[in-house]
Amino acid sequence: MVEKIITLDDVSLVDFLGVHNANIREVAAAFPQSKILSRGNEIRIQGTAPEIVKITDVLDSLLAHYQKYGRVTNDNVVRYLNGHLSISTKPSKNSKENDDPDVIIYGNKGVVVKAKTPNQKKLVEAANTHDLVFAVGPAGTGKTYTAVAMAVRALKNREVKKIIITRPAVEAGENLGFLPGDLTEKIDPYLRPIYDALDDMIAPEKLKFYQDNRIVEIAPLAYMRGRTLNNAFILLDEAQNTTPMQMKMFLTRMGPSSKAIITGDKSQVDLPRNHKSGLIESLRVLEGIKGIAFVELDGTDVVRHRLVKDILSAYEKHEQ
């Protein structure tokens, strides 16, 4: 008898193993001459060398499937074991997980993240073909969510080695000095929308692994000064609240093999009245530079509650 142990370090166990380890029990039933046990994040295999090779091949394919779609169902396991298809390369025509051109990534717990509006699709296409993209539009148009999804996809596809997400710690007239806690606790509320998006796209265990190993870094804009960001997908969110100097500093952080998306809402500048917005200035200064794309989202792209569109429209009429 030969024994092999496979460790699942950055995998959501319930999404991979199934409820009550149903997926692994299905694999074990297909190899009755071997013993397959799952304990914690370890899968222990005991059997003959040829069988262990076959079992490992099955598990590797299931892991590849998980990396792409974010979960493994019992049907996936059964179809693969029956030899009807190789789940790592040939999606079923009838499968809900069949490749959809609008799908950006298959996220956590079955969440499917896709471009839902024409301008969101333009944003995805721009990010595919340009190293620097400006996505400007009102609240609720999905610009930040789509940008985070593009970054996660690039990381999963090994197009970049890390994700760096940043935003200025200026919002709605609030001052960090008046918030309770240390610096991390003060900044956390400003970064909460980013965490919410990542929670939909990456399993909690994997996200913690990524953050502990600085593969995913979420930090205030001030932390970017003096750095050169190589092989990274960089996202600057709430860019309307940068000053021109901060925007120039950020734009000059890009290193080789890096991509960046800058998102912002020109109608929600929270800087003091005597401060110019770095986002608004950069849109004028950088216009026409090859390799930079500009995508404008509007009220038709709002994907929040149906009332948000009406609220935005009412404010636009009032301001006019």
Side-chain angles (χ1 to χ4, degrees), residues 47 49 89-90 101 119 162 172 191 195 230 245 258 268-269 319:
T89 58
K90 299 178 182 177
N119 286 326
K162 63 174 68 174
L191 302 175
Y195 286 109
N230 297 322
M245 187 178 295
S258 289
Q268 291 191 347
V269 177
E319 288 165 2

Side-chain angles (χ1 to χ4, degrees), residues 87-296:
I87 61 176
S88 63
T89 58
K90 299 178 182 177
S92 167
K93 291 181 180 179
N94 297 321
S95 171
K96 291 181 181 179
E97 290 162 345
N98 194 17
D99 287 338
D100 180 335
D102 293 331
V103 171
I104 303 172
I105 57 166
Y106 293 88
N108 186 33
K109 296 184 178 178
V111 172
V112 179
V113 182
K114 60 166 62 180
K116 297 180 179 178
T117 71
N119 286 326
Q120 287 179 8
K121 293 175 185 177
K122 286 181 182 178
L123 173 54
V124 171
E125 180 59 29
N128 286 335
T129 55
H130 296 76
D131 288 336
L132 176 60
V133 178
F134 285 81
V136 180
T141 51
K143 53 190 183 296
T144 299
Y145 197 81
T146 303
V148 172
M150 293 297 293
V152 173
R153 187 179 74 174
L155 182 65
K156 284 189 173 185
N157 292 344
R158 300 183 180 179
E159 297 166 11
V160 296
K161 292 184 178 179
K162 63 174 68 174
I163 296 172
I164 298 172
I165 304 175
T166 185
R167 67 190 308 190
V170 177
E171 204 143 341
E174 296 177 6
N175 189 308
L176 284 178
F178 293 100
L179 295 176
D182 59 21
L183 181 60
T184 301
E185 292 170 326
K186 290 174 186 287
I187 289 168
D188 237 21
Y190 293 93
L191 302 175
R192 179 46 48 192
I194 304 297
Y195 286 109
D196 289 344
L198 287 171
D199 285 343
D200 280 351
M201 302 173 198
I202 304 176
E205 299 92 339
K206 177 174 279 190
L207 181 56
K208 184 178 186 305
F209 172 83
Y210 282 161
Q211 290 187 271
D212 289 346
N213 290 275
R214 299 180 68 83
I215 296 170
V216 172
E217 183 180 345
I218 308 171
L221 181 59
Y223 285 25
M224 299 297 108
R225 190 174 298 278
R227 300 179 62 183
T228 300
L229 307 176
N230 297 322
N231 296 304
F233 200 115
I234 315 154
L235 168 60
L236 171 59
D237 191 36
E238 299 289 347
Q240 75 275 5
N241 290 329
T242 62
T243 64
M245 187 178 295
Q246 287 174 325
M247 177 61 78
K248 183 179 178 181
M249 179 274 290
F250 174 81
L251 291 170
T252 54
R253 298 307 94 201
M254 290 180 67
S257 305
S258 289
K259 295 177 75 76
I261 298 180
I262 296 171
T263 66
D265 179 356
K266 292 184 290 185
S267 69
Q268 291 191 347
V269 177
D270 298 312
L271 293 167
R273 289 182 180 273
N274 60 337
H275 285 65
K276 292 181 180 179
S277 167
L279 172 65
I280 294 174
E281 181 182 89
S282 65
L283 295 175
R284 294 194 301 266
V285 172
L286 303 177
E287 186 178 5
I289 294 180
K290 188 176 180 180
I292 302 178
F294 301 89
V295 179
E296 189 89 27

